[in-house]
Amino acid sequence: MIDKRDFTQETLEKIRTGEKPKTFIKRRRLSKIILIIDIIVIVIILAIINQRGHESIYHTTSLILDEMEYRFSLIREEKSSNYVLSVTIKSNSNVEKSYYYNNSIADINIQHAEAKIFNLSIGDNISSVKLLPGELKTFVKGIDISYFRRYAEENPEHITPPQKTLISLEKRHVPLQAVITLNTKERVSTKLNFKYRVE
């Protein structure tokens, strides 16, 4: 059986001499290990977030008009950071059919809320397309990222989220919208929401 007086005197002697108890030393070692593990976890999380920031983005919307299916897609290329807009048309008719347009397949207005940034057309100089049942055709247009970059620089108040933090799961961006209007006899529009990621 341990004598409590001897144990108390031994503890007091260690405190006087500055000798630290073994349990204290073990706790310090444990806290250092936990700190190192925390730092490693934070570095891994930051690396994952940074890697996600360089991924390609893809947005798409579609509509059907006059036995024709239109699929609009907006892709941000990983390497160049430029955007590629495409429209794929597919005939849902049971017979070969011609579809008519006014100089282009569609007009696109890129805007933030009601503020127009720029416009472009896709399928330029096309007045008609003849398709067999189920046949597909795709038209592609590149969009220079400088349009988006200039708008973000001139309108920093539209960047979301405005604050800068060490760890943010949401990349800073400008919410934008592509308003796509088909150049058919019946001018029909659809919207494609996307985000310009601020670099």
Side-chain angles (χ1 to χ4, degrees), residues 67 91-99 130-134:
E67 297 185 320
S91 174
N92 290 334
S93 175
N94 294 324
V95 295
E96 186 178 37
K97 188 173 178 180
S98 293
Y99 301 88
K130 185 182 282 188
L131 294 176
L132 293 168

Side-chain angles (χ1 to χ4, degrees), residues 37-128:
I37 291 170
D38 286 346
I39 291 169
I40 291 169
V41 169
I42 290 169
V43 168
I44 290 169
I45 290 170
L46 288 173
I48 291 168
I49 291 169
N50 188 50
Q51 187 177 7
R52 284 181 60 193
H54 295 292
E55 291 176 354
S56 299
I57 63 161
Y58 178 79
H59 299 281
T60 186
T61 187
S62 61
L63 62 86
I64 296 174
L65 177 68
D66 190 26
E67 297 185 320
M68 174 77 87
E69 184 177 342
Y70 297 86
R71 178 169 294 278
F72 299 94
S73 302
L74 185 67
I75 303 165
R76 182 172 180 174
E77 296 177 319
E78 187 176 350
K79 291 181 181 178
S80 68
S81 292
N82 287 329
Y83 286 78
V84 175
L85 180 70
S86 69
V87 57
T88 299
I89 57 177
K90 177 187 174 186
S91 174
N92 290 334
S93 175
N94 294 324
V95 295
E96 186 178 37
K97 188 173 178 180
S98 293
Y99 301 88
Y100 298 95
Y101 304 94
N102 183 18
N103 295 326
S104 66
I105 301 291
D107 292 327
I108 297 97
N109 284 317
I110 306 294
Q111 56 192 53
H112 173 268
E114 298 302 317
K116 291 184 180 179
I117 301 173
F118 67 97
N119 55 40
L120 66 151
S121 59
I122 192 165
D124 298 325
N125 303 316
I126 292 176
S127 56
S128 67

